[in-house]
Amino acid sequence: MSDLTKLTLKAALEGLRARQFSSEELTRAFVAAIDAANPRLNAYVLQTTDKALAMARASDARLAKGEGGALEGAPLGIKDLFCTDGVQTTAGSNMLRGFVPPYESTVTANLWRDGAVMLGKLNMDEFAMGSSNETSAFGPVVNPWKSTTSNADLTPGGSSGGSAASVAADLCLAATASDTGGSIRQPAAFTGTVGIKPTYGRASRFGMVAFASSLDQAGPITKTVEDAALLLRAMCSFDPKDSTSLDVETPDWTQSLGKGVKGLRIGIPKEYVVDGMPAEIQALWDQGVQWLKAAGCEIVDISLPHTQYALPAYYIIAPAEASSNLARYDGLRFGHRAGGTTSLTDLYETSRAEGFGKEVQRRLTIGAYVLSAGFYDAYYVRALKVRRRIAMDFDAVWDRVDAILTPSTPSAAFALGDKQVDPLQMYLNDIFTVTANLAGLPGISVPAGVDKGGLPLGLQVIGKALDEATVFQVASALEDAAGFVAKPEKWW
């Protein structure tokens, strides 16, 4: 079968179980696709072909006996933020280039337990700090989509740019990703894929290279809402090795799909109408409201008054936590060690200057500043108070609505290099997504339309804590109504 790589995760799993093709055949098809595309797209920083084929053969042996896990034989891509035992993990940084973990992250261990196959490690913004995948030490990922109005290379979004681009270009069935301020949902919106950030604590952070520990959360990027439900269930589990892991059952979210949404109350927050928002984004949001109304939802206008402070609060809290987390990379205990230094201080300074890129250095400087003695109360403590207010805004509306609908991003994918000169313009990409991280809520991006250049646009559904079921229910209804089937034309 020549179109094996175009299969959804669900269809591939059904085909494997029906013995229509083998996991080795499927894996070889993806390896060939990656070999052909990666020189141009740069989605994978490391291919693990031999390991993938060995895992595929083991899966085939289990399937032949009528055994196997929920993901048996399915080839996946792994964001290079998840530690993989015996396989280099860099978090997109020169600081960790060459680091081979002697242990497995809990999320990837869950995937291997369920029979998944690892195709390789996916490119990402350095230490997940970025919205365009341009801060990676391995170079930017190129979005497989092209605008009909320009031939410019476009960003796939960030920080999970490699994950989103590889799914959109059929270089894996699905991919793991992570979301600190929108790094699953924004790339999904930019590439016409589905991405969900679950409730904070659903997925273990053990073995994930830390950015901002109170915000980081793992999730999948997939081709369909059903695929997202399948993969998220495998990724999530209680983990005593993560002190923030929630000891709760992981439901079968596929049961929430196709149930219909009649009677659900959908909140539309007025604060998400922002100055300068493109008319196409507003039109898509309005269309989403009409789709849900036609499906039987009650539309409720709501207010989340502290939304305007979310981005400033996020860009204080996240860098502060990063400056603490990344202090371990000092040239002695972890990471790159500079040569030719003359003192301990010189070793620290030179190792970190050589190992960290400019954006990471910028955020670590901000973090150190807001945590310093003279500014801790003025900035960091105040940002924590704003964060609590944002969470309270959501708490105040859940008795009136079951889920909230917003745009996923303030624009379609932009050209690589367009926003690098102005960090504030880049940070604004997270304007619709950071609130869910600050409040620890689940959020999903569903592809729902295209702009005038034919580029994909997404709608976001935010739900109550631990109520991914309703988020999937609404997302499934949007997916059905939108009927989004567009794919990038192959140019790579």
Side-chain angles (χ1 to χ4, degrees), residues 86-231:
V87 177
Q88 177 178 273
T89 301
T90 69
S93 179
N94 282 323
M95 182 60 82
L96 285 173
R97 197 183 286 263
F99 170 60
V100 178
Y103 59 92
E104 194 78 35
S105 79
T106 298
V107 164
T108 50
N110 289 350
L111 299 180
W112 315 147
R113 173 205 66 202
D114 283 354
V117 170
M118 179 168 70
L119 291 166
K121 304 301 285 291
L122 294 164
N123 204 345
M124 57 177 285
D125 279 298
E126 184 180 8
F127 283 101
M129 299 183 199
S131 300
S132 64
N133 222 131
E134 292 173 279
T135 70
S136 170
F138 298 91
V141 178
V142 179
N143 194 328
W145 290 81
K146 290 271 193 183
S147 173
T148 57
T149 62
S150 166
N151 197 41
D153 285 344
L154 304 176
T155 174
S159 64
S160 307
S163 301
S166 63
V167 174
D170 295 325
L171 306 184
C172 57
L173 287 176
T176 66
S178 68
D179 192 310
T180 305
S183 289
I184 289 174
R185 292 157 289 156
Q186 184 246 21
F190 278 7
T191 56
T193 55
V194 175
I196 181 168
K197 179 200 86 72
T199 304
Y200 180 78
R202 272 280 192 201
S204 172
R205 292 182 298 106
F206 177 78
M208 278 176 65
V209 179
F211 166 12
S213 298
S214 75
L215 299 164
D216 298 342
Q217 192 60 190
I221 292 179
T222 62
K223 297 178 183 180
T224 67
V225 172
E226 185 173 25
D227 286 358
L230 280 167
L231 189 51

Side-chain angles (χ1 to χ4, degrees), residues 180-366:
T180 305
S183 289
I184 289 174
R185 292 157 289 156
Q186 184 246 21
F190 278 7
T191 56
T193 55
V194 175
I196 181 168
K197 179 200 86 72
T199 304
Y200 180 78
R202 272 280 192 201
S204 172
R205 292 182 298 106
F206 177 78
M208 278 176 65
V209 179
F211 166 12
S213 298
S214 75
L215 299 164
D216 298 342
Q217 192 60 190
I221 292 179
T222 62
K223 297 178 183 180
T224 67
V225 172
E226 185 173 25
D227 286 358
L230 280 167
L231 189 51
L232 184 63
R233 187 184 188 195
M235 293 172 69
C236 292
S237 64
F238 170 63
D239 183 8
K241 295 191 291 291
D242 174 5
S243 63
T244 62
S245 178
L246 298 175
D247 190 1
V248 293
E249 181 188 356
T250 302
D252 179 2
W253 289 301
T254 60
Q255 299 301 309
S256 301
L257 310 180
K259 285 174 62 175
V261 291
K262 189 173 182 178
L264 289 183
R265 300 162 301 169
I266 306 298
I268 307 299
K270 64 180 183 181
E271 288 79 11
Y272 281 62
V273 179
V274 295
D275 292 340
M277 187 164 75
E280 291 165 311
I281 301 291
Q282 182 66 58
L284 183 70
W285 192 11
D286 293 341
Q287 180 65 72
V289 169
Q290 293 307 313
W291 283 331
L292 292 179
K293 191 181 288 186
C297 289
E298 178 189 346
I299 305 302
V300 181
D301 291 326
I302 61 171
S303 176
L304 301 169
H306 293 88
T307 296
Q308 62 181 310
Y309 306 115
L311 213 56
Y314 173 82
Y315 278 102
I316 290 172
I317 294 168
E321 293 188 13
S323 73
S324 176
N325 277 326
L326 272 61
R328 71 191 71 176
Y329 305 109
D330 57 9
L332 290 176
R333 294 169 294 174
F334 292 92
H336 169 74
R337 179 182 293 191
T341 56
T342 57
S343 67
L344 184 61
T345 300
D346 188 23
L347 173 65
Y348 288 159
E349 291 176 349
T350 308
S351 296
R352 289 169 71 82
E354 291 177 356
F356 292 137
K358 294 299 182 191
E359 180 60 30
V360 174
Q361 290 180 28
R362 178 186 290 116
R363 298 200 196 189
L364 295 184
T365 302
I366 293 169

